[in-house]
Amino acid sequence: AQSVTQLGSHVSVSEGALVLLRCNYSSSVPPYLFWYVQYPNQGLQLLLKYTTGATLVKGINGFEAEFKKSETSFHLTKPSAHMSDAAEYFCAVSVSLANAGGTSYGKLTFGQGTILTVHP
Amino acid sequence: EAGVAQSPRYKIIEKRQSVAFWCNPISGHATLYWYQQILGQGPKLLIQFQNNGVVDDSQLPKDRFSAERLKGVDSTLKIQPAKLEDSAVYLCASTPGPGVYGYTFGSGTRLTVV
């Protein structure tokens, strides 16, 4: 079974400040990890993902995250917050599934979400 | 490339009524998911289809929820009868299938049960 814990349901930063959103996961097999952003009344948009290889992953809009296996963490950061970053952010975990057609991605298990507020 | 289409965008019903949601995934995507997102929570998987077969429906309340994916393309999710606690956003997502990553989510249907 897999699970995700996001530390902090609300994070508030000033424009231009560092953004740090925390995510810890639990998985019995090597995980695939994701960060999604959701703006009000919209669907989920992928920010970045880690599957294999380099543990520092860069995504869209200047965000990046580092997979730390020893800490079971996948924290999301951005050096300088913009007003447009205000949204809800979800960390998610998936695992690979081997089947006749090759390796596929299993269901996503999401954390509870972190609402990011950016002050002028 | 067209995205995942969902309809309706909003629905308000009274408790004990029935409701249906529709999802049309990206063309060629073999896997389709329905998620339920209650306000203040992360999305929770209700059911996963691979083509027109069910892969995982362990968290689907089968006494009131049903879903189908005829011909392995679009899908409908039905609730009958609805309860107040079913108020949520219902998200549909699709992925290409084995060997290719790419979850794409629709904009969702916001259900309010009064």
Side-chain angles (χ1 to χ4, degrees), chain B residues 37-58:
Chain B
Q37 186 177 15
I38 294 173
L39 185 64
Q41 300 181 18
K44 181 186 79 172
L45 180 71
L46 291 175
I47 189 166
Q48 176 184 348
F49 291 95
Q50 181 78 20
N51 297 310
N52 61 349
V54 175
V55 174
D56 184 348
D57 63 356
S58 57

Side-chain angles (χ1 to χ4, degrees), chain B residues 27-97:
Chain B
S27 179
H29 277 199
T31 308
L32 184 148
Y33 309 80
W34 282 102
Y35 285 84
Q36 179 193 56
Q37 186 177 15
I38 294 173
L39 185 64
Q41 300 181 18
K44 181 186 79 172
L45 180 71
L46 291 175
I47 189 166
Q48 176 184 348
F49 291 95
Q50 181 78 20
N51 297 310
N52 61 349
V54 175
V55 174
D56 184 348
D57 63 356
S58 57
Q59 297 194 79
L60 186 73
K62 298 180 185 65
D63 58 335
R64 298 183 300 106
F65 286 66
S66 65
E68 61 182 7
R69 190 183 184 196
L70 298 176
K71 301 180 181 178
V73 182
D74 54 356
S75 175
T76 56
L77 176 69
K78 298 179 181 178
I79 308 175
Q80 181 179 10
K83 293 185 176 182
L84 295 177
E85 59 261 36
D86 299 331
S87 294
V89 175
Y90 291 84
L91 294 165
C92 180
S94 67
T95 61

Side-chain angles (χ1 to χ4, degrees), chain A residues 77-97:
Chain A
T77 61
K78 181 174 180 178
S80 177
H82 294 161
M83 297 295 290
S84 60
D85 295 328
E88 189 162 18
Y89 292 79
F90 292 94
C91 183
V93 63
S94 175
V95 296
S96 65
L97 301 175

Side-chain angles (χ1 to χ4, degrees), chain A residues 3-108:
Chain A
S3 64
V4 173
T5 301
Q6 291 183 238
L7 303 176
S9 58
H10 290 80
V11 171
S12 180
V13 301
S14 298
E15 192 173 21
L18 171 71
V19 175
L20 171 60
L21 304 183
R22 301 177 186 272
C23 171
N24 287 90
Y25 70 91
S26 172
S27 177
S28 57
V29 298
Y32 298 143
L33 295 161
F34 309 83
W35 275 99
Y36 284 86
V37 61
Q38 187 174 38
Y39 297 98
N41 299 316
Q42 294 188 26
L44 292 162
Q45 180 184 5
L46 179 67
L47 278 178
L48 48 80
K49 67 182 186 289
Y50 167 79
T51 53
T52 58
T55 56
L56 181 61
V57 179
K58 296 186 184 297
I60 62 172
N61 301 338
F63 284 94
E64 63 181 37
E66 186 171 11
F67 170 58
K68 293 186 176 180
K69 183 179 179 180
S70 61
E71 299 177 7
T72 62
S73 69
F74 191 58
H75 301 331
L76 181 71
T77 61
K78 181 174 180 178
S80 177
H82 294 161
M83 297 295 290
S84 60
D85 295 328
E88 189 162 18
Y89 292 79
F90 292 94
C91 183
V93 63
S94 175
V95 296
S96 65
L97 301 175
N99 54 45
T103 300
S104 64
Y105 298 84
K107 65 181 182 181
L108 286 169

